[in-house]
Amino acid sequence: MLLLAPDGRVALANSAAETFLNVSQPQLVERGWEWLFPEDSPVRSLVQESRESRNDIAAYDLVVEFAGGRRARTDVLVGRLPDQEGWLALSFQPRAVTSLVEKQKGQQGAARSAIGVAAMLAHEIKNPLSGIRGAAQLLAEAADRDGKELTGLIISEVDRVRALIDRMEGFTDTRPRTLQRENIHSVLGHVRMLAEAGFGSDLKFRERYDPSLPPVMGDRDGLVQTFLNLIKNAVEASPAGGTVTITTAFRQGFRMRAHGTSARVSLPLEVCIIDEGEGAPPQIADHLFEPFVSARRGGTGLGLALVAKIVGDHGGIVEYDRRQGRTVFRVLLPLAPDEE
Ligand SMILES: Nc1ncnc2c1ncn2[C@@H]1O[C@H](COP(=O)(O)OP(=O)(O)O)[C@@H](O)[C@H]1O
Ligand SMILES: [Mg+2]
């Protein structure tokens, strides 16, 4: 981490920065930081862009070249300091440990492998299920009271399995989504209404929206499903009488490398679903978005896997975080292009 004064000088560098940049703090203070990077380095342009646009900027997964030819894979974050006009914190996060982006790709991979399984199961199990259900109904006609109880059990269990499969079929649809301009607040309002009328009727809902948010590029049904799943989980995790908070914000400067290209897409639309529960059990916290991971009795572990798939289909990302004793699921989505 480097602290840059308004005139571009290095005011401070921590020891991790000395190691990463391979220079000492006195050298940094004396000679500045720019000479460390070639003229056309993205690090230089990010700092400049942040100064000019007066925004925090994060670029993930850059291959940064140093003067002299050394390269490093790193995230670069440029942040302004509150109440210190012109001061910037320039930080590098070398990508040694599994990165956010890779995790997301892993999640998408997991979701894709689940697609095959789900498609096969849906097909192979659903057909015989109707046969079993029909046979149980026939048996029930001739059965005594005990027998009727048992055939009733068969029918209700068959229905439960069928409902599970119906839910899994969310994965088996691999057709590309048709994305169009959607108002995210209208999607969230709809979901909130569904939640308040049903599974969330005992809780309070609070909205903190940025009303000036431009439209998202999305598939309305997919977005409804995404936020419904997240809010359902938040409701299930909430203490009695708790509050589920839904926030939206415009966050400039979050970029991610688009699939298969070196282009960086910007994901400025942020939606957070926040609850006051305890968070996910630590042993599954790193695997929440994988299919069949659940810590809930009767849970399927498909809700968040579907969320990851849909958000991925939108080119966005979703993260789980704990912040000030609260659970935050953060979804970042791309903006709809200008209308023309
Ligand atoms: N808001 C939340 N707070 C705490 N834990 C959560 C939250 N959302 C999800 N989880 C954890 O993630 C698991 C997986 O969620 P999900 O994929 O929706 O499956 P399910 O709800 O069927 O268990 C849940 O079982 C729960 O342990
Ligand atoms: Mg769930």
Side-chain angles (χ1 to χ4, degrees), residues 55-67:
N55 267 307
D56 297 345
I57 292 187
Y60 288 83
D61 202 12
L62 291 181
V63 178
V64 168
E65 199 172 319
F66 295 91

Side-chain angles (χ1 to χ4, degrees), residues 284-333:
I284 64 164
D286 286 338
H287 304 279
L288 294 182
F289 296 99
E290 292 166 25
F292 309 115
V293 171
S294 173
R296 264 192 328 112
R297 179 175 303 210
T300 61
L302 290 174
L304 289 178
L306 194 55
V307 165
K309 173 173 188 289
I310 297 172
V311 172
D313 287 350
H314 282 77
I317 67 171
V318 51
E319 315 172 272
Y320 161 75
D321 200 7
R322 292 280 298 163
R323 234 179 266 164
Q324 286 145 21
R326 303 195 296 171
T327 304
V328 181
F329 279 86
R330 185 160 90 116
V331 177
L332 293 167
L333 293 167

Side-chain angles (χ1 to χ4, degrees), residues 20-51:
F20 178 68
L21 300 169
N22 208 5
V23 287
S24 66
Q25 146 124 338
Q27 237 180 330
L28 280 167
V29 171
E30 196 185 303
R31 298 186 56 191
W33 61 277
E34 289 182 24
W35 62 278
L36 292 167
F37 301 96
E39 286 288 337
D40 58 350
S41 171
V43 179
R44 291 188 181 210
S45 48
L46 289 169
V47 171
Q48 191 181 353
E49 198 181 325
S50 168
R51 276 208 197 288

